[in-house]
Amino acid sequence: MDSHIDNILKDLEKDDFQAYLLTQFTNVEYISGYRPTSFAFCIIKENPIIYASGMDMELATRDSTIEVKEYESYKVMIDELKKEGIKSLAIEPSLPFSTYVRFRDDFEIDSKTYIDKQRMIKMPSEIEKIAEATEIAQKSFLQLDILNNSGTEKEVAFDLVRLMIENGASKESFDTIVTSGPASSLPHAIPQDKSLDQPILIDWGAIFEGYCSDNTRTMVYTERQQEIWDIVAEAHDKAIKSIKPGLKCCEIDKVARDIIEDYGYGDKFIHSTGHSLGLDIHETPGFSLRDDTIIEKGMVITVEPGIYLEGEFGVRLEDTVSISKSADVIGNLPLDIV
């Protein structure tokens, strides 16, 4: 049996649950290799099964490594589980409430993060896909020739997505951020129909064979912008150098945050230092003040400190690292591309 399923079965046994219900598309894909296009119920038990929609049966039968049945109704599915003697059901934390209410009268239910725990540690093949996604994204970024680009923010964002797809991505891994001038102080700014201003902040990523990449670069032009860029770069570099297995994620956040605070901009660093990624762009754990997860070999996490000066500009610099004995930056795009 798949090692991920085997590990989850051990967790279920330890917590006295008989089955684990997953519906989030990337969780189903992680367990089975099949990514739903409509809906699916993946139930991990001694004999795991996926109830797939009729529209997905050909795809599911082709791709899934575990048994697939065509979904008929909640009643049929629940009756089949009850016939197996299943009385207790763990659910993924993201399970929609509307789905939960269908099961709650027939089973003892609790939310468990077994799947998140499995997805924290990437296999070498997963890291290779993230690295390929990063290579595609970074190559595409360089092809933009951003310093000589006369397009609007919207056009640049569109061109970057097009280039990533032309270079082998299936699509962008999140809505590409191209922002400039005062709007760069908005961490999740939306590209506008206006010419590029200064500075220019671009946050982008590609998906390759299901796996995401994530980078941010900020191109600065004035002495004041360079001063802030230098602080963010120092926080970025020192945080990466401090990463090693055995430390807590919050300790890495503190490294970056302390540097920015020492320069007097602590209140201008308004998000966490980083997040894991994989089949989803945001996974656990993350480098945040509240995350005391122990760093382990095989984790893949972003490092993205930023300083945001409201009404002036913002600077963020982001790379993704894979963790072995230390942190290895994925990709080779310099922080300063000028």
Side-chain angles (χ1 to χ4, degrees):
M1 186 176 287
D2 180 274
S3 62
H4 299 310
I5 294 176
D6 198 42
N7 289 336
I8 289 171
L9 288 174
K10 288 174 186 171
D11 285 333
L12 286 168
E13 186 177 10
K14 185 177 68 179
D15 291 345
D16 205 21
F17 281 94
Q18 295 166 294
Y20 190 32
L21 172 63
L22 307 172
T23 63
Q24 184 180 313
F25 286 5
T26 48
N27 283 340
V28 176
E29 181 181 14
Y30 184 78
I31 288 298
S32 71
Y34 147 62
R35 188 184 187 106
T37 68
S38 176
F39 67 85
F41 301 91
C42 176
I43 300 165
I44 300 175
K45 49 195 176 69
E46 284 301 330
N47 49 337
I49 191 165
I50 293 173
Y51 291 89
S53 77
M55 287 193 298
D56 265 8
M57 280 304 292
E58 181 181 353
L59 180 69
T61 305
R62 185 190 75 189
D63 294 347
S64 178
T65 56
I66 65 178
E67 184 185 353
V68 176
K69 263 190 174 182
E70 184 169 351
Y71 170 84
E72 295 179 57
S73 69
Y74 276 104
K75 184 179 186 310
V76 169
M77 181 167 56
I78 288 168
D79 284 348
E80 288 183 1
L81 292 175
K82 287 164 76 174
K83 276 180 194 168
E84 289 186 47
I86 291 172
K87 297 177 181 176
S88 58
L89 190 64
I91 59 174
E92 63 190 357
S94 60
L95 190 82
F97 183 77
S98 58
T99 303
Y100 161 73
V101 298
R102 300 283 194 148
F103 289 89
R104 67 181 176 185
D105 293 336
D106 294 284
F107 305 96
E108 176 195 337
I109 292 180
D110 198 3
S111 169
K112 296 291 181 181
T113 58
Y114 304 140
I115 188 76
D116 300 316
K117 189 168 77 172
Q118 289 300 302
R119 288 178 60 175
M120 280 183 188
I121 309 300
K122 269 59 181 181
M123 296 166 59
S125 60
E126 293 180 282
I127 295 173
E128 285 172 14
K129 290 173 185 175
I130 294 168
E132 181 64 28
T134 303
E135 185 177 320
I136 288 167
Q138 293 185 351
K139 175 183 178 183
S140 303
F141 174 81
L142 290 173
Q143 289 173 341
L144 272 180
D145 190 16
I146 192 65
L147 300 178
N148 297 303
N149 197 307
S150 59
T152 65
E153 291 177 356
K154 275 186 175 180
E155 288 168 342
V156 171
F158 178 87
D159 286 344
L160 182 49
V161 175
R162 176 181 54 78
L163 286 165
M164 288 193 289
I165 292 169
E166 286 177 356
N167 286 322
S170 56
K171 59 181 178 178
E172 59 187 335
S173 51
F174 53 91
D175 289 343
T176 299
I177 297 171
V178 176
T179 185
S180 60
S184 60
S185 69
L186 303 170
H188 288 161
I190 297 169
Q192 300 299 306
D193 190 19
K194 69 180 183 70
S195 299
L196 294 173
D197 198 352
Q198 300 174 353
I200 304 168
L201 186 155
I202 301 184
D203 188 347
W204 79 108
I207 294 180
F208 176 76
E209 293 186 3
Y211 284 81
C212 300
S213 74
D214 196 356
N215 283 111
T216 306
R217 291 293 183 267
T218 307
M219 285 61 71
V220 297
Y221 294 83
T222 68
E223 190 175 329
R224 168 76 166 144
Q225 292 168 6
Q226 186 67 54
E227 173 197 341
I228 299 300
W229 190 99
D230 289 342
I231 296 167
V232 174
E234 182 180 339
H236 167 282
D237 292 349
K238 289 185 176 173
I240 290 173
K241 282 178 183 154
S242 71
I243 297 168
K244 61 180 179 181
L247 293 178
K248 293 179 179 179
C249 284
C250 55
E251 294 178 87
I252 309 307
D253 181 90
K254 190 173 187 306
V255 170
R257 204 165 297 281
D258 283 354
I259 289 166
I260 291 174
E261 284 179 354
D262 286 346
Y263 284 100
Y265 294 100
D267 62 335
K268 305 301 181 185
F269 181 14
I270 52 180
H271 53 71
S272 62
T273 297
H275 57 89
S276 294
L277 53 71
L279 288 168
D280 286 305
I281 191 61
H282 288 104
E283 298 185 1
T284 56
F287 294 138
S288 78
L289 286 168
R290 295 172 296 281
D291 196 328
D292 59 3
T293 304
I294 302 297
I295 297 167
E296 295 182 56
K297 182 179 178 183
M299 288 181 173
V300 177
I301 310 180
T302 69
V303 176
E304 51 175 309
I307 294 175
Y308 307 92
L309 306 176
E310 186 177 346
E312 290 187 68
F313 63 90
V315 173
R316 180 167 66 254
L317 297 169
E318 176 184 22
D319 282 300
T320 302
V321 300
S322 63
I323 297 160
S324 51
K325 291 180 181 176
S326 57
D328 304 310
V329 175
I330 298 175
N332 55 12
L333 185 69
L335 280 186
D336 187 352
I337 63 147
V338 178

